[in-house]
Amino acid sequence: ASKYYTNSESYDPQSIKRAAIESRIDDPESVEAAMWWTADKVIFDSVQNFEYTSPSGNPLNGAITRTVKGADFEAEMDAIFAEYDNDFQAYAAK
């Protein structure tokens, strides 16, 4: 079905992307910022390759959650640094 959809003369991926963004965000400037973000602007995030079993298993996720709830950012990062660094070193050694 998607093959026919993308071959249609009325197919406009930018309009589809904008509609999807606008369905979740109501601030016009935020919509424009999200529209700017394209695949050629993606920064490689090696954390996603540390082979965590789920996003909740990532030590960074827990630290961020605790920081949002009021914990000290530096203390949270210091607490997970060794584990995170080990994961990064293991990934980089592959």
Side-chain angles (χ1 to χ4, degrees):
S2 65
K3 159 175 100 171
Y4 301 108
Y5 182 68
T6 57
N7 289 334
S8 168
E9 290 179 19
S10 64
Y11 176 70
D12 180 10
Q14 290 299 96
S15 293
I16 294 168
K17 179 179 177 180
R18 181 175 296 279
I21 293 167
E22 288 175 340
S23 73
R24 293 171 177 81
I25 301 172
D26 60 3
D27 176 55
E29 291 179 1
S30 295
V31 171
E32 290 308 314
M35 286 295 294
W36 174 84
W37 197 257
T38 57
D40 64 323
K41 295 179 180 82
V42 173
I43 298 171
F44 174 70
D45 182 3
S46 59
V47 173
Q48 297 304 316
N49 292 311
F50 287 176
E51 299 177 8
Y52 296 122
T53 57
S54 73
S56 62
N58 179 336
L60 187 57
N61 183 53
I64 290 170
T65 300
R66 289 185 296 277
T67 300
V68 168
K69 292 180 178 180
D72 178 69
F73 177 80
E74 293 292 330
E76 290 296 325
M77 294 298 109
D78 288 347
I80 66 165
F81 179 79
E83 178 182 359
Y84 197 76
D85 188 52
N86 286 338
D87 291 344
F88 179 79
Q89 295 297 332
Y91 175 75
K94 289 182 180 180

XYZ file of all heavy atoms in Angstrom:
743
model
N 0.824 -1.199 0.000
C 0.000 0.000 0.000
C 0.862 1.255 0.000
O 0.549 2.215 -0.696
C -0.931 -0.011 1.197
N 1.964 1.267 0.776
C 2.790 2.477 0.836
C 3.449 2.768 -0.506
O 3.714 3.921 -0.830
C 3.843 2.369 1.931
O 4.756 1.340 1.619
N 3.689 1.740 -1.299
C 4.286 1.935 -2.620
C 3.377 2.809 -3.477
O 3.831 3.726 -4.155
C 4.525 0.571 -3.260
C 4.668 0.569 -4.757
C 5.012 -0.815 -5.265
C 3.798 -1.489 -5.800
N 4.105 -2.746 -6.505
N 2.093 2.568 -3.419
C 1.145 3.357 -4.198
C 1.007 4.757 -3.628
O 0.858 5.722 -4.354
C -0.216 2.656 -4.250
C -0.110 1.283 -4.868
C -0.235 0.145 -4.091
C 0.153 1.133 -6.228
C -0.108 -1.115 -4.654
C 0.285 -0.121 -6.793
C 0.156 -1.245 -6.007
O 0.290 -2.474 -6.572
N 1.077 4.843 -2.333
C 0.952 6.130 -1.662
C 2.103 7.056 -2.042
O 1.904 8.198 -2.405
C 0.914 5.875 -0.153
C 0.736 7.096 0.681
C -0.464 7.803 0.657
C 1.751 7.547 1.518
C -0.642 8.924 1.440
C 1.579 8.669 2.296
C 0.376 9.352 2.256
O 0.203 10.460 3.029
N 3.323 6.548 -1.982
C 4.490 7.384 -2.295
C 4.595 7.698 -3.777
O 5.239 8.671 -4.154
C 5.798 6.722 -1.816
O 5.913 5.437 -2.403
C 5.836 6.622 -0.300
N 3.965 6.905 -4.639
C 3.972 7.174 -6.080
C 2.874 8.148 -6.510
O 2.861 8.593 -7.648
C 3.833 5.876 -6.873
C 5.088 5.032 -6.780
O 6.179 5.552 -6.565
N 4.934 3.739 -6.933
N 1.992 8.486 -5.599
C 0.890 9.391 -5.915
C 1.418 10.804 -6.184
O 2.370 11.262 -5.547
C -0.091 9.447 -4.747
O -1.006 10.497 -4.915
N 0.797 11.500 -7.120
C 1.197 12.879 -7.428
C 0.956 13.813 -6.251
O 1.614 14.841 -6.127
C 0.436 13.388 -8.657
C 0.874 12.719 -9.942
C 0.087 13.223 -11.137
O -0.528 14.301 -11.059
O 0.103 12.523 -12.161
N 0.013 13.454 -5.385
C -0.300 14.317 -4.238
C 0.576 14.028 -3.017
O 0.453 14.693 -1.995
C -1.773 14.169 -3.865
O -2.023 12.851 -3.431
N 1.463 13.038 -3.132
C 2.339 12.689 -2.008
C 3.312 13.821 -1.718
O 4.042 14.275 -2.583
C 3.114 11.401 -2.323
C 4.121 11.018 -1.265
C 3.703 10.574 -0.023
C 5.487 11.097 -1.515
C 4.609 10.213 0.950
C 6.405 10.745 -0.554
C 5.963 10.305 0.684
O 6.865 9.954 1.646
N 3.301 14.308 -0.489
C 4.194 15.387 -0.059
C 4.729 15.037 1.326
O 4.046 15.263 2.330
C 3.441 16.718 -0.040
C 4.326 17.873 0.404
O 5.562 17.699 0.510
O 3.772 18.954 0.656
N 5.920 14.482 1.393
C 6.442 14.042 2.690
C 6.577 15.181 3.699
O 6.403 14.977 4.894
C 7.793 13.415 2.357
C 8.135 13.865 0.984
C 6.849 14.209 0.306
N 6.853 16.386 3.236
C 6.976 17.517 4.160
C 5.631 17.825 4.820
O 5.577 18.129 6.003
C 7.518 18.752 3.442
C 8.980 18.627 3.048
C 9.885 18.432 4.240
O 10.237 17.314 4.594
N 10.255 19.511 4.895
N 4.565 17.764 4.051
C 3.228 18.005 4.612
C 2.859 16.917 5.619
O 2.258 17.203 6.654
C 2.180 18.057 3.511
O 2.383 19.175 2.695
N 3.216 15.691 5.303
C 2.932 14.574 6.208
C 3.721 14.753 7.505
O 3.187 14.576 8.599
C 3.248 13.233 5.526
C 2.285 13.028 4.354
C 3.182 12.082 6.516
C 2.671 11.892 3.444
N 4.996 15.114 7.366
C 5.830 15.329 8.548
C 5.254 16.468 9.394
O 5.130 16.346 10.608
C 7.266 15.657 8.113
C 8.207 15.917 9.265
C 9.609 16.213 8.752
C 10.564 16.539 9.882
N 11.912 16.834 9.380
N 4.892 17.586 8.755
C 4.336 18.732 9.483
C 3.044 18.347 10.211
O 2.858 18.687 11.376
C 4.091 19.906 8.547
C 3.535 21.145 9.262
C 3.426 22.330 8.340
N 4.724 22.765 7.866
C 5.565 23.540 8.543
N 5.245 23.971 9.751
N 6.726 23.891 8.026
N 2.177 17.609 9.530
C 0.914 17.193 10.152
C 1.168 16.308 11.373
O 0.510 16.454 12.410
C 0.034 16.476 9.130
N 2.147 15.406 11.253
C 2.474 14.523 12.382
C 3.020 15.329 13.556
O 2.655 15.094 14.716
C 3.484 13.469 11.942
N 3.871 16.298 13.278
C 4.447 17.129 14.335
C 3.361 17.991 14.977
O 3.264 18.081 16.205
C 5.585 18.007 13.776
C 6.760 17.131 13.343
C 6.032 19.051 14.800
C 7.799 17.843 12.504
N 2.542 18.618 14.132
C 1.485 19.492 14.651
C 0.444 18.730 15.465
O -0.225 19.316 16.308
C 0.815 20.240 13.508
C 1.702 21.323 12.929
C 1.109 22.007 11.705
O 0.206 21.427 11.060
O 1.573 23.125 11.391
N 0.335 17.426 15.246
C -0.615 16.637 16.030
C -0.118 16.425 17.463
O -0.884 16.030 18.334
C -0.878 15.291 15.362
O 0.232 14.423 15.502
N 1.177 16.698 17.695
C 1.766 16.478 19.015
C 2.254 17.759 19.684
O 2.455 17.798 20.888
C 2.925 15.496 18.897
C 2.476 14.112 18.502
C 3.668 13.221 18.190
N 3.267 11.874 17.872
C 2.828 11.482 16.691
N 2.723 12.337 15.696
N 2.487 10.226 16.475
N 2.497 18.799 18.885
C 3.082 20.043 19.391
C 2.221 21.204 18.925
O 1.902 21.299 17.745
C 4.525 20.223 18.856
C 5.409 19.050 19.262
C 5.117 21.539 19.332
C 6.782 19.063 18.620
N 1.873 22.104 19.852
C 1.025 23.222 19.439
C 1.767 24.547 19.307
O 1.215 25.519 18.822
C -0.176 23.384 20.377
C 0.225 23.648 21.809
O 1.434 23.766 22.092
O -0.675 23.748 22.655
N 3.029 24.588 19.689
C 3.814 25.816 19.577
C 4.405 25.927 18.175
O 5.184 25.057 17.762
C 4.937 25.820 20.618
C 5.832 27.029 20.486
O 5.316 28.158 20.522
O 7.061 26.829 20.327
N 4.057 26.989 17.416
C 4.547 27.106 16.030
C 6.069 27.092 15.899
O 6.608 26.509 14.955
C 3.975 28.445 15.556
C 2.816 28.716 16.448
C 3.152 28.084 17.766
N 6.779 27.709 16.829
C 8.244 27.717 16.747
C 8.815 26.320 16.982
O 9.809 25.943 16.356
C 8.826 28.727 17.721
C 8.516 30.160 17.318
C 9.066 31.182 18.284
O 9.721 30.806 19.276
O 8.829 32.373 18.041
N 8.184 25.566 17.856
C 8.636 24.188 18.100
C 8.368 23.312 16.883
O 9.167 22.435 16.550
C 7.935 23.612 19.327
O 8.318 24.329 20.484
N 7.254 23.570 16.207
C 6.953 22.827 14.973
C 8.025 23.114 13.935
O 8.546 22.199 13.293
C 5.545 23.193 14.431
C 5.340 22.596 13.036
C 4.460 22.724 15.385
N 8.396 24.385 13.785
C 9.435 24.739 12.809
C 10.773 24.106 13.178
O 11.511 23.652 12.310
C 9.566 26.262 12.683
C 8.384 26.913 12.015
C 8.028 26.284 10.672
O 8.916 26.040 9.832
O 6.831 26.012 10.466
N 11.089 24.093 14.475
C 12.341 23.467 14.917
C 12.345 21.973 14.584
O 13.346 21.443 14.106
C 12.533 23.676 16.416
N 11.221 21.315 14.807
C 11.125 19.886 14.494
C 11.178 19.638 12.990
O 11.741 18.642 12.543
C 9.845 19.306 15.089
N 10.626 20.546 12.214
C 10.680 20.408 10.753
C 12.129 20.521 10.256
O 12.511 19.877 9.290
C 9.818 21.479 10.074
C 8.332 21.247 10.175
S 7.775 19.764 9.318
C 8.124 20.187 7.606
N 12.912 21.324 10.919
C 14.312 21.517 10.536
C 15.112 20.234 10.724
O 16.033 19.946 9.975
C 14.915 22.643 11.381
C 16.378 22.832 11.181
C 16.994 23.550 10.204
C 17.436 22.275 11.978
N 18.352 23.481 10.344
C 18.652 22.709 11.428
C 17.462 21.465 13.107
C 19.886 22.358 11.962
C 18.695 21.113 13.638
C 19.880 21.564 13.058
N 14.740 19.449 11.738
C 15.499 18.245 12.089
C 15.280 17.173 11.033
O 14.207 16.616 10.902
C 15.055 17.749 13.463
C 16.019 16.796 14.066
C 15.882 15.450 14.127
C 17.261 17.105 14.662
N 16.979 14.892 14.732
C 17.841 15.899 15.075
C 17.969 18.274 14.887
C 19.072 15.825 15.695
C 19.193 18.199 15.510
C 19.726 16.998 15.906
N 16.302 16.872 10.261
C 16.219 15.862 9.210
C 17.347 14.852 9.393
O 18.255 15.054 10.200
C 16.337 16.523 7.820
O 17.568 17.249 7.754
C 15.170 17.463 7.557
N 17.302 13.795 8.632
C 18.285 12.714 8.768
C 19.718 13.204 8.583
O 20.638 12.681 9.217
C 17.972 11.603 7.775
N 19.929 14.222 7.762
C 21.294 14.701 7.550
C 21.812 15.530 8.722
O 22.976 15.899 8.758
C 21.399 15.505 6.250
C 20.573 16.779 6.255
O 19.462 16.776 6.819
O 21.040 17.776 5.680
N 20.958 15.811 9.683
C 21.368 16.580 10.863
C 21.478 15.705 12.115
O 21.701 16.204 13.203
C 20.383 17.715 11.104
C 20.390 18.732 9.980
C 19.389 19.831 10.235
C 19.409 20.835 9.133
N 18.626 20.453 7.974
N 21.330 14.408 11.959
C 21.379 13.494 13.087
C 22.822 13.324 13.552
O 23.734 13.176 12.749
C 20.781 12.124 12.700
C 20.986 11.095 13.803
C 19.311 12.275 12.385
N 22.988 13.350 14.843
C 24.304 13.129 15.445
C 24.328 11.686 15.943
O 23.395 11.244 16.604
C 24.544 14.103 16.610
C 24.513 15.531 16.091
C 25.845 13.778 17.329
C 24.523 16.584 17.174
N 25.387 10.972 15.637
C 25.506 9.592 16.092
C 25.545 9.562 17.612
O 26.320 10.268 18.242
C 26.777 8.954 15.526
C 27.036 7.584 16.079
C 26.222 6.528 15.729
C 28.082 7.364 16.945
C 26.442 5.260 16.227
C 28.329 6.102 17.450
C 27.509 5.059 17.092
N 24.687 8.769 18.178
C 24.629 8.619 19.628
C 25.053 7.201 19.963
O 24.270 6.265 19.844
C 23.216 8.909 20.122
C 23.098 8.825 21.626
O 24.121 8.590 22.301
O 21.986 9.000 22.131
N 26.274 7.062 20.389
C 26.804 5.723 20.660
C 26.095 5.042 21.812
O 26.126 3.825 21.928
C 28.300 5.804 20.946
O 28.533 6.639 22.065
N 25.420 5.805 22.668
C 24.697 5.203 23.788
C 23.692 4.179 23.286
O 23.476 3.147 23.902
C 23.977 6.292 24.620
C 23.080 5.670 25.677
C 24.992 7.202 25.266
N 23.076 4.452 22.144
C 22.075 3.538 21.619
C 22.685 2.213 21.196
O 21.970 1.244 21.001
C 21.344 4.184 20.436
C 20.579 5.418 20.830
C 19.576 5.165 21.946
O 18.854 4.188 21.938
N 19.542 6.048 22.917
N 23.987 2.153 21.083
C 24.651 0.922 20.667
C 25.311 0.181 21.825
O 26.067 -0.738 21.622
C 25.687 1.231 19.589
C 25.026 1.684 18.318
O 24.100 1.051 17.846
N 25.465 2.801 17.782
N 25.017 0.591 23.045
C 25.603 -0.081 24.201
C 24.893 -1.389 24.525
O 25.215 -2.054 25.478
C 25.559 0.811 25.436
C 26.532 1.957 25.420
C 26.524 2.876 26.445
C 27.453 2.137 24.412
C 27.407 3.946 26.457
C 28.339 3.198 24.411
C 28.310 4.103 25.451
N 23.898 -1.726 23.721
C 23.165 -2.977 23.867
C 22.414 -3.086 25.183
O 22.325 -4.153 25.790
C 24.097 -4.172 23.655
C 24.709 -4.167 22.265
C 25.700 -5.283 22.030
O 25.833 -6.175 22.875
O 26.346 -5.248 20.971
N 21.847 -1.961 25.654
C 20.951 -2.026 26.795
C 19.707 -2.773 26.356
O 19.277 -2.650 25.217
C 20.584 -0.626 27.280
C 21.759 0.159 27.815
C 22.105 1.381 27.273
C 22.520 -0.343 28.860
C 23.189 2.089 27.754
C 23.607 0.364 29.344
C 23.938 1.583 28.789
O 25.005 2.274 29.265
N 19.123 -3.525 27.249
C 17.965 -4.328 26.873
C 16.721 -3.486 26.640
O 15.811 -3.906 25.944
C 17.669 -5.394 27.946
O 17.469 -4.741 29.200
C 18.818 -6.386 28.046
N 16.670 -2.301 27.221
C 15.543 -1.394 27.013
C 15.998 0.009 27.389
O 17.004 0.176 28.090
C 14.348 -1.797 27.866
O 14.601 -1.488 29.223
N 15.268 1.045 26.961
C 15.651 2.401 27.360
C 15.691 2.569 28.877
O 16.515 3.291 29.403
C 14.555 3.280 26.744
C 14.055 2.493 25.590
C 14.160 1.054 26.019
N 14.811 1.866 29.581
C 14.801 1.999 31.042
C 16.017 1.333 31.684
O 16.353 1.616 32.824
C 13.515 1.419 31.622
O 13.434 0.037 31.329
N 16.693 0.442 30.938
C 17.885 -0.201 31.465
C 19.140 0.636 31.315
O 20.205 0.285 31.818
N 19.032 1.746 30.640
C 20.154 2.647 30.419
C 20.400 3.460 31.691
O 19.492 4.106 32.190
C 19.785 3.566 29.247
C 20.838 4.575 28.912
O 21.662 4.944 29.729
N 20.800 5.054 27.690
N 21.603 3.443 32.252
C 21.851 4.189 33.484
C 21.623 5.695 33.328
O 21.250 6.375 34.271
C 23.308 3.883 33.823
C 23.910 3.388 32.549
C 22.800 2.774 31.764
N 21.815 6.201 32.125
C 21.601 7.623 31.883
C 20.125 7.984 32.055
O 19.794 9.039 32.589
C 22.075 7.983 30.475
C 22.094 9.450 30.102
C 22.956 10.249 31.076
C 22.600 9.625 28.689
N 19.231 7.107 31.649
C 17.796 7.349 31.788
C 17.418 7.557 33.249
O 16.688 8.486 33.584
C 16.992 6.205 31.181
C 15.516 6.455 31.245
O 15.037 7.496 30.805
N 14.779 5.515 31.806
N 17.896 6.692 34.099
C 17.591 6.818 35.532
C 18.147 8.105 36.116
O 17.476 8.788 36.910
N 19.357 8.469 35.721
C 19.971 9.698 36.231
C 19.182 10.923 35.782
O 18.960 11.854 36.557
C 21.422 9.796 35.760
N 18.749 10.917 34.549
C 17.967 12.050 34.038
C 16.626 12.132 34.761
O 16.192 13.212 35.165
C 17.773 11.933 32.516
C 19.112 12.166 31.819
C 16.719 12.908 32.015
C 19.118 11.848 30.350
N 15.981 10.983 34.953
C 14.695 10.966 35.652
C 14.842 11.528 37.063
O 14.041 12.359 37.502
C 14.129 9.534 35.701
O 13.954 9.067 34.368
C 12.809 9.481 36.451
N 15.878 11.107 37.776
C 16.087 11.609 39.137
C 16.411 13.097 39.136
O 15.981 13.843 40.020
C 17.181 10.799 39.830
C 16.739 9.376 40.170
C 17.784 8.621 40.977
N 19.024 8.401 40.240
C 19.220 7.402 39.374
N 18.247 6.546 39.117
N 20.379 7.270 38.763
N 17.147 13.570 38.124
C 17.480 14.990 38.025
C 16.229 15.822 37.782
O 16.041 16.868 38.402
C 18.510 15.225 36.897
O 19.693 14.480 37.200
C 18.869 16.687 36.769
N 15.357 15.348 36.912
C 14.101 16.054 36.651
C 13.266 16.152 37.927
O 12.586 17.144 38.156
C 13.306 15.352 35.522
C 11.887 15.869 35.426
C 14.030 15.521 34.198
N 13.372 15.145 38.778
C 12.612 15.141 40.033
C 13.309 15.938 41.132
O 12.840 15.956 42.262
C 12.377 13.708 40.490
C 11.428 12.962 39.568
C 11.208 11.538 40.037
C 10.225 10.826 39.131
N 9.978 9.455 39.558
N 14.442 16.574 40.821
C 15.080 17.460 41.782
C 16.463 17.068 42.247
O 17.092 17.805 43.004
N 16.973 15.917 41.836
C 18.313 15.505 42.260
C 19.367 16.399 41.596
O 19.119 17.035 40.580
C 18.554 14.043 41.898
N 20.539 16.420 42.198
C 21.648 17.216 41.667
C 22.221 16.546 40.414
O 22.621 15.379 40.453
C 22.734 17.355 42.735
C 23.925 18.138 42.235
O 23.781 19.351 42.016
O 24.991 17.518 42.047
N 22.261 17.288 39.313
C 22.723 16.745 38.039
C 24.150 16.206 38.137
O 24.436 15.082 37.711
C 22.637 17.819 36.948
C 23.168 17.365 35.620
C 22.405 16.577 34.784
C 24.443 17.720 35.218
C 22.898 16.137 33.559
C 24.943 17.296 33.987
C 24.168 16.500 33.165
N 25.057 16.995 38.683
C 26.463 16.564 38.776
C 26.602 15.298 39.603
O 27.336 14.387 39.228
C 27.323 17.695 39.375
C 27.445 18.914 38.494
C 28.239 18.662 37.226
O 29.149 17.816 37.220
O 27.920 19.310 36.212
N 25.886 15.213 40.706
C 25.964 14.018 41.553
C 25.425 12.797 40.821
O 25.999 11.699 40.917
C 25.186 14.243 42.852
N 24.341 12.984 40.084
C 23.766 11.863 39.324
C 24.731 11.387 38.242
O 24.911 10.187 38.040
C 22.427 12.266 38.706
C 21.321 12.442 39.710
C 20.960 11.161 40.433
O 21.012 10.070 39.826
O 20.629 11.244 41.622
N 25.355 12.309 37.540
C 26.296 11.930 36.485
C 27.540 11.272 37.080
O 28.037 10.287 36.540
C 26.690 13.148 35.649
C 25.564 13.754 34.832
S 24.877 12.618 33.613
C 23.293 12.278 34.340
N 28.011 11.802 38.185
C 29.172 11.198 38.845
C 28.877 9.758 39.269
O 29.734 8.886 39.170
C 29.585 12.017 40.069
C 30.229 13.345 39.707
O 30.595 13.544 38.525
O 30.353 14.207 40.610
N 27.636 9.528 39.731
C 27.263 8.195 40.218
C 27.238 7.142 39.110
O 27.490 5.966 39.374
C 25.905 8.262 40.911
N 26.961 7.543 37.886
C 26.877 6.561 36.799
C 28.087 6.589 35.877
O 28.180 5.796 34.952
C 25.593 6.751 35.955
C 25.625 8.084 35.216
C 24.349 6.588 36.799
C 24.605 8.204 34.112
N 29.029 7.480 36.135
C 30.130 7.650 35.198
C 30.898 6.368 34.940
O 31.170 6.019 33.792
C 31.100 8.750 35.668
C 32.248 8.913 34.721
C 32.081 9.628 33.547
C 33.473 8.318 34.969
C 33.127 9.758 32.645
C 34.525 8.441 34.071
C 34.346 9.171 32.910
N 31.262 5.642 35.975
C 32.087 4.435 35.792
C 31.363 3.403 34.921
O 31.951 2.860 33.986
C 32.451 3.831 37.143
N 30.096 3.154 35.210
C 29.333 2.180 34.417
C 29.205 2.650 32.966
O 29.422 1.884 32.030
C 27.940 1.996 35.012
C 27.073 1.043 34.228
C 25.669 0.892 34.800
O 25.350 1.518 35.819
O 24.890 0.140 34.185
N 28.883 3.910 32.815
C 28.700 4.472 31.483
C 30.019 4.443 30.705
O 30.065 4.073 29.544
C 28.192 5.906 31.639
C 27.582 6.490 30.408
C 26.307 6.128 30.007
C 28.278 7.416 29.659
C 25.737 6.676 28.875
C 27.712 7.964 28.525
C 26.446 7.592 28.134
O 25.899 8.131 27.022
N 31.098 4.812 31.362
C 32.411 4.818 30.716
C 32.825 3.405 30.312
O 33.353 3.192 29.219
C 33.447 5.445 31.644
C 34.779 5.654 30.953
O 34.794 6.258 29.858
O 35.816 5.210 31.495
N 32.580 2.422 31.181
C 32.888 1.031 30.838
C 32.113 0.581 29.611
O 32.669 -0.084 28.728
C 32.570 0.102 32.007
C 33.584 0.228 33.116
O 34.706 0.669 32.908
N 33.169 -0.154 34.322
N 30.823 0.932 29.564
C 30.007 0.575 28.405
C 30.543 1.226 27.138
O 30.608 0.609 26.079
C 28.549 0.993 28.628
C 27.858 0.174 29.688
O 28.370 -0.910 30.045
O 26.799 0.623 30.181
N 30.928 2.478 27.249
C 31.450 3.192 26.090
C 32.773 2.579 25.622
O 32.971 2.353 24.434
C 31.658 4.676 26.409
C 32.208 5.431 25.242
C 31.384 5.820 24.201
C 33.550 5.747 25.174
C 31.884 6.510 23.098
C 34.074 6.432 24.092
C 33.241 6.812 23.046
N 33.657 2.283 26.555
C 34.959 1.691 26.205
C 34.761 0.327 25.536
O 35.444 0.003 24.568
C 35.833 1.550 27.451
C 36.228 2.874 28.083
C 37.082 3.740 27.171
O 37.806 3.247 26.316
N 36.987 5.037 27.364
N 33.810 -0.462 26.047
C 33.548 -1.769 25.453
C 32.995 -1.612 24.034
O 33.371 -2.359 23.127
C 32.552 -2.554 26.321
N 32.125 -0.652 23.841
C 31.585 -0.409 22.506
C 32.692 0.059 21.543
O 32.789 -0.418 20.428
C 30.447 0.624 22.554
C 29.959 0.978 21.186
C 29.160 0.099 20.476
C 30.332 2.174 20.576
C 28.732 0.391 19.188
C 29.903 2.468 19.294
C 29.110 1.587 18.602
O 28.692 1.865 17.343
N 33.517 0.971 22.019
C 34.569 1.532 21.175
C 35.616 0.482 20.792
O 36.245 0.567 19.739
C 35.238 2.701 21.880
N 35.778 -0.533 21.633
C 36.767 -1.573 21.380
C 36.313 -2.592 20.341
O 37.116 -3.393 19.866
C 37.090 -2.302 22.691
N 35.053 -2.541 19.962
C 34.530 -3.525 18.987
C 35.102 -3.284 17.613
O 35.403 -2.248 17.178
C 33.016 -3.444 18.911
C 32.362 -3.986 20.155
C 30.850 -3.931 19.987
C 30.167 -4.464 21.225
N 28.726 -4.427 21.095
